[in-house]
Structures are given as structure tokens and as C-alpha cells.
Amino acid sequence: MRDVLYLEEIEQAEALLKPQRIEVLRQLAEPRTCTEVAARLGQTPQRVYYHVKRLVEAGLVEQVSERKVRGIHEGIYRAGARSYWLSPRLVGRIGLRKAQDELSLGYLLDLMEEVQSDIAALDRTAPELPSVGVSGEIRVPPERRQEFLDDLQTVLQDLFTRYGGADGDAFKLAVACYPKGEDRE
């Protein structure tokens, strides 16, 4: 099972975004038959099979084995991934964004779409994917905001200068700094 399945086809999104199918998909985090899923959800096996069949066709679920029960072949299915990411390209850009600079929300949105696409394209079968994620909260008084941005730019420029040569493994660095919104529960 993959960690993430990046959905770029509208047919995949349509197959996934139905409440009953999401419930079926959750039940298939562990390999199960349609009969087992049906019992857990209080539905008929036929109804569950209909949804599983659509999820298989969309590449979101896979049949991992088969067993014979009372002369009938019964498939055992499993979700294809632990998470499903919808590509922003499914909807596409609606209208034009204003001219972008590094301090605009539009630039940040474009950067996040790029990071999401890059991460989804990584080879998850590789034995090692050296990466790091850092997140934190910094409080900056309004009168020191420019000083903070200048310091951040200096630190990053120093890293780019020290490690920007042609030798070694290439890593992409994306830094996002944005106002913290309300805490969500």
C-alpha cells in the first residue's frame, strides 16, 4: 500500500468523492472481502461490491487475492493508499492571479501546488528518501516584520550559496511564511 495516491484524473476524483465509497475505502485499509465490509457497514454485499468495483476501475483499490467460499470465488480487496491527494489541476486555475511577487498569497498558493506535485511524484519504492520537514510558529511584532524577512532571506541565501554547487544530490527547498489563522479543532 502506498502512503499517498495523487489523483490527477477527474474520473478518479468522481469515483472517490462519494460518502459511501469513502466509508468502503476506509474499511479496506486492511484486506477484506465485500461481504466483510458489508457486515461492518450494515449494507448488502452486492451494494459494497458495486462501490468496490468502481474504486478498482479508478485505480483506488486493488484486489490482493481471491478465495473460494462454497464454490464461489470471492475477491479480497485493499485500499491502494493511506492518503489520497486531489491535484489542484483537477479544477484548474479559474481566472488570472495578479502579478506575483514573493510576498503575495498567489505566489504562496503556486508554491504549495508545486510542492504537493513534487512530493506526489517521488518514488516511494526507493529504500530511502532523505527529506526533512520543519514547522513552527514565530511571533514578530509589526515594527520588526521587515527585519525578520531580511534575516530569513539572508539565512536562505547563505544556504543556497554554500550548497548550490553542481556536485551531489539535488534537493528542493521551499519555505512558506504566512499569518497563522485561527486554531482549528
Side-chain angles (χ1 to χ4, degrees):
M1 178 184 296
R2 297 174 65 174
D3 283 331
V4 175
L5 187 58
Y6 193 59
L7 307 182
E8 296 183 276
E9 303 296 325
I10 194 78
E11 295 80 16
Q12 289 178 308
E14 286 177 327
L16 176 65
L17 295 177
K18 302 211 180 307
Q20 288 181 328
R21 290 196 190 140
I22 291 173
E23 287 305 314
V24 167
L25 193 60
R26 285 187 177 124
Q27 293 301 315
L28 294 174
E30 300 295 325
R32 293 194 170 102
T33 65
C34 292
T35 303
E36 292 168 335
V37 172
R40 289 170 158 264
L41 297 178
Q43 297 182 6
T44 65
Q46 295 82 2
R47 183 177 185 91
V48 169
Y49 178 73
Y50 169 80
H51 292 300
V52 168
K53 186 176 176 186
R54 298 295 168 262
L55 291 166
V56 168
E57 289 169 356
L60 308 176
V61 164
E62 57 193 3
Q63 183 174 339
V64 293
S65 64
E66 189 175 82
R67 68 182 181 196
K68 199 170 188 178
V69 178
R70 290 181 232 116
I72 297 174
H73 291 277
E74 188 172 42
I76 299 174
Y77 301 92
R78 183 182 67 198
R82 296 183 203 299
S83 306
Y84 296 84
W85 287 0
L86 298 174
S87 168
R89 290 182 193 92
L90 285 170
V91 174
R93 176 94 16 98
I94 298 175
L96 297 174
R97 288 197 181 132
K98 295 179 184 175
Q100 313 256 324
D101 66 42
E102 293 176 351
L103 298 177
S104 72
L105 178 59
Y107 183 84
L108 184 60
L109 290 169
D110 287 343
L111 177 63
M112 292 301 103
E113 288 176 14
E114 186 178 325
V115 168
Q116 182 181 15
S117 178
D118 288 348
I119 290 171
L122 291 174
D123 180 7
R124 294 209 170 5
T125 62
E128 182 182 324
L129 286 174
S131 58
V132 64
V134 177
S135 177
E137 183 176 317
I138 295 174
R139 296 193 175 263
V140 180
E143 65 274 6
R144 296 191 64 203
R145 189 174 297 147
Q146 190 58 51
E147 178 186 354
F148 165 72
L149 293 173
D150 291 343
D151 287 348
L152 181 60
Q153 187 172 5
T154 299
V155 168
L156 292 172
Q157 191 58 51
D158 179 53
L159 286 173
F160 291 135
T161 301
R162 281 195 284 158
Y163 299 102
D167 296 334
D169 296 329
F171 287 87
K172 187 161 186 180
L173 175 65
V175 176
C177 184
Y178 50 90
K180 182 179 181 215
E182 300 279 327
D183 285 335
R184 288 179 257 153
E185 295 184 29

